[in-house]
Amino acid sequence: MTDRIRAIEGLALVTTPTGVFDGVHPTADQFLPDAHDAVTKGMHGWTEAVAA
């Protein structure tokens, strides 16, 4: 196996999961929100104190 093919395969092994995550993440955020995220949606700034 040449170095060029190994580099391409290595790049594919990194970019494929990254692309899948990039595509699925907004959908998961929409349908599987954390309760804290739902309460603080639309608030500006640091919101950790709100949950306490």
Side-chain angles (χ1 to χ4, degrees):
M1 205 182 271
T2 66
D3 288 338
R4 181 180 173 137
I5 292 174
R6 289 187 118 178
I8 292 170
E9 287 178 347
L11 188 60
L13 285 173
V14 171
T15 59
T16 301
T18 303
V20 170
F21 176 79
D22 187 45
V24 172
H25 188 84
T27 304
D29 278 349
Q30 183 69 30
F31 294 108
L32 304 172
D34 187 1
H36 174 71
D37 293 339
V39 169
T40 59
K41 185 175 183 176
M43 294 181 74
H44 299 286
W46 192 49
T47 59
E48 288 298 321
V50 173

